[in-house]
Amino acid sequence: MTITVQKDVFKLAQVFTISRGSRTEAKVLTVKIERDGHVGWGECVPYARYNETLESVTAEIEGLPADVTREALQDLLPAGAARNAVDCALWDLEAKKAGKRVWELAGLPAPEPEITAYTLSLASPEEMQEQAAKNAHRPLLKIKLGTPDDMVRLEAVRKGAPEARIIVDANEGWSAEVYADLAPHLVRLGVDLVEQPLPAGEDDALIGMDRPVPVCADESCHDRTSLAKLKGKYDVVNIKLDKTGGLTEALKLREAALAEGYKVMVGCMVGSSLAMAPATLVAQGAMVTDLDGPLLLAEDRDAPLTFDEAGVHGPEAALWG
């Protein structure tokens, strides 16, 4: 078996801005695993928030034994981008060797389309209202917040898309006081969900707070070991394969979170259809699906995922799984 990793760059359809900065392209790592004439593919997006770089994640992958199995991988690498790409490539390889789809191997039903959020880039209120109006036909919009002018932006988006469901992502940019002040307005404006309002290290302040809008753990939730620290703080957990370290742990996290009474959101970094494909399996029946990475790109993989009025569809075998 041979494992190769390479950097790929996908241009974005427009500049994408969140509170942490702007980007014009998505830089990803593509993993290719070959064995017995079959090839498995995976993709990850190293994330600086978790001290990951393209170089450090490449080194992790290249340090793996050539004959690594998916079971052994769970102990060889920690949850994160490197394990994600390799885990998903191994799932793809197993499916191709077996002549089956990944969901069959995992004992899951074939994925149905799921409505996905579409993320509006952080901009001036006027620009965000324009973006919202342009995308008002979409049933679910996501707004990146975490600035002193959040309410003005939220009002502008609601004005631009009066019928759309809205979720907001503060990217750890609020304090407990700010969340408490904003909560009634979030209710008034029909916001469905708030992602990670407080910094992960300061979210104890959510314990005992009134949460009129469900609060979702993103940076505070990586894998099953995170769940014990979320009690009393969050209503929903955001499962991202680049945090869980692949599909294997993502499916286990979904099962454990649901068993503990949490609702599930399935999110993504800005990547291609190859990165989203395994996540469509985790997203089945989720409260919120946020797999819009390919919609933000100007270019994508061959055999990309299908997005239509029904939502994001499961992958074709030519792409993954």
Side-chain angles (χ1 to χ4, degrees), residues 109-114 254 266 279-286 289 312 314:
E112 298 288 336
E114 291 281 342
R254 181 181 70 169
V266 176
T280 62
L281 276 63
V282 189
Q284 296 301 295
T289 296
V312 54

Side-chain angles (χ1 to χ4, degrees), residues 2-285:
T2 60
I3 303 174
T4 56
V5 55
Q6 70 177 44
K7 182 179 86 169
D8 286 312
V9 179
F10 295 90
K11 293 179 182 177
L12 300 188
Q14 62 184 33
V15 177
F16 184 71
T17 301
I18 65 172
S19 58
R20 294 192 182 108
S22 301
R23 67 178 76 179
T24 58
E25 56 190 17
K27 296 178 180 178
V28 310
L29 291 176
T30 304
V31 167
K32 176 183 178 183
I33 301 180
E34 299 179 78
R35 177 189 281 165
D36 301 331
H38 299 284
V39 180
W41 297 92
E43 178 185 315
C44 68
V45 183
Y47 197 36
R49 169 67 178 78
Y50 305 128
N51 299 313
E52 294 175 334
T53 65
L54 292 165
E55 294 73 23
S56 70
V57 171
T58 297
E60 283 186 277
I61 295 169
E62 291 180 340
L64 290 169
D67 60 349
V68 65
T69 64
R70 188 164 52 81
E71 293 73 19
L73 176 68
Q74 309 309 311
D75 296 321
L76 289 172
L77 288 180
R83 195 176 79 187
N84 174 33
V86 178
D87 182 76
C88 291
L90 287 170
W91 271 108
D92 190 32
L93 183 67
E94 290 170 37
K96 286 172 176 171
K97 288 181 68 177
K100 296 183 176 182
R101 302 307 306 269
V102 163
W103 50 85
E104 295 179 273
L105 298 181
L108 301 171
E112 298 288 336
E114 291 281 342
I115 294 295
T116 181
Y118 179 80
T119 305
L120 302 183
S121 184
L122 188 64
S124 70
E126 295 75 22
E127 290 172 302
M128 291 187 75
Q129 182 174 333
E130 214 172 284
Q131 286 185 60
K134 183 179 176 182
N135 291 283
H137 64 285
R138 301 183 188 275
L140 180 59
L141 297 178
K142 177 173 173 175
I143 312 170
K144 292 284 192 178
L145 297 178
T147 75
D149 302 314
D150 282 346
M151 275 310 305
V152 182
R153 288 184 167 90
L154 184 54
E155 297 268 12
V157 168
R158 177 48 84 200
K159 187 174 181 181
E163 303 300 324
R165 292 170 55 211
I166 292 177
I167 58 176
V168 302
D169 184 0
N171 278 121
E172 304 181 275
W174 294 346
S175 65
E177 292 74 23
V178 168
Y179 171 69
D181 288 344
L182 292 181
H185 299 287
L186 300 177
V187 173
R188 174 175 59 85
L189 292 167
V191 172
D192 282 9
L193 180 80
V194 180
E195 270 188 83
Q196 199 70 40
L198 275 57
E202 301 172 18
D203 60 1
D204 281 356
L206 290 170
I207 296 174
M209 281 189 67
D210 185 29
R211 299 193 295 272
V213 175
V215 177
C216 178
D218 183 359
E219 285 85 353
S220 289
C221 182
H222 291 250
D223 57 14
R224 284 171 293 166
T225 64
S226 304
L227 291 176
K229 300 177 183 177
L230 305 183
K231 290 182 180 179
K233 306 177 192 179
Y234 297 97
D235 311 291
V236 187
V237 297
N238 188 349
I239 301 174
K240 293 180 180 176
L241 272 66
D242 275 315
K243 293 189 301 174
T244 65
L247 178 62
T248 301
E249 177 61 23
L251 291 172
K252 292 176 179 177
L253 172 57
R254 181 181 70 169
E255 182 180 9
L258 292 172
E260 293 193 22
Y262 296 101
K263 292 185 178 178
V264 165
M265 173 179 182
V266 176
C268 66
M269 308 303 185
V270 182
S272 81
S273 283
L274 178 59
M276 309 300 128
T280 62
L281 276 63
V282 189
Q284 296 301 295

